[in-house]
Amino acid sequence: MHLRLQVSGPKGVGLFSPETVDELETMLGHKVVLLKEPRSEFGLGSVVNVFKTAQSLNMHLDIGDKDDSWDFLLLPYKPFDKSILKIYKNDAVWKIRRSYETFPRWSQIDYEEAVEFFNKISQVAGWPSTTGNPSGGGRDNNSPAK
């Protein structure tokens, strides 16, 4: 069983399944971030740190569900979106945990790093303040001084 990584073609046309890191880097036009302890026998998703790659290359990342034939899908034509990953955090962490516990495809250190990635994502504020006030109090918190 593999962790399948796919890449969407330009403007969403076509899905590509690179087999090697070199092939993936050629498709993306950039270097990717590798796991600390790659496990090539379990597929490209067990070699490439897809979360950090998507973040560093500012690419959208989808995480497959049980009905998908892929585990991770990089969309180079869309920007990285923390809020989308935050929404799917529970599904993503479940998939990561299952792929680690039931049939270990990641090393302990890479598993922990993936979980930490999603824990950091979930701490990001959901909506930016329109008033520039980081407290989230909005307009009422920015009333003029008396």
Side-chain angles (χ1 to χ4, degrees), residues 128-146:
S129 170
T130 57
T131 61
N133 184 345
S135 71
R139 216 175 326 244
D140 296 333
N141 211 20
N142 286 332
S143 58
K146 294 182 180 175

Side-chain angles (χ1 to χ4, degrees), residues 1-48:
M1 187 165 222
H2 284 65
L3 284 174
R4 293 187 181 101
L5 171 61
Q6 290 192 322
V7 179
S8 177
K11 298 183 182 177
V13 179
L15 279 179
F16 302 94
S17 301
E19 296 292 324
T20 65
V21 171
D22 288 339
E23 191 178 344
L24 176 61
E25 289 177 340
T26 299
M27 282 181 188
L28 299 178
H30 296 281
K31 291 280 186 194
V32 297
V33 179
L34 299 179
L35 294 176
K36 291 184 177 171
E37 295 179 14
R39 305 187 66 186
S40 59
E41 66 271 23
F42 298 125
L44 201 54
S46 299
V47 174
V48 176

Side-chain angles (χ1 to χ4, degrees), residues 53-65:
T53 294
Q55 187 175 36
S56 69
L57 298 180
N58 192 28
M59 293 180 179
H60 184 80
L61 173 65
D62 273 348
I63 297 161
D65 61 25

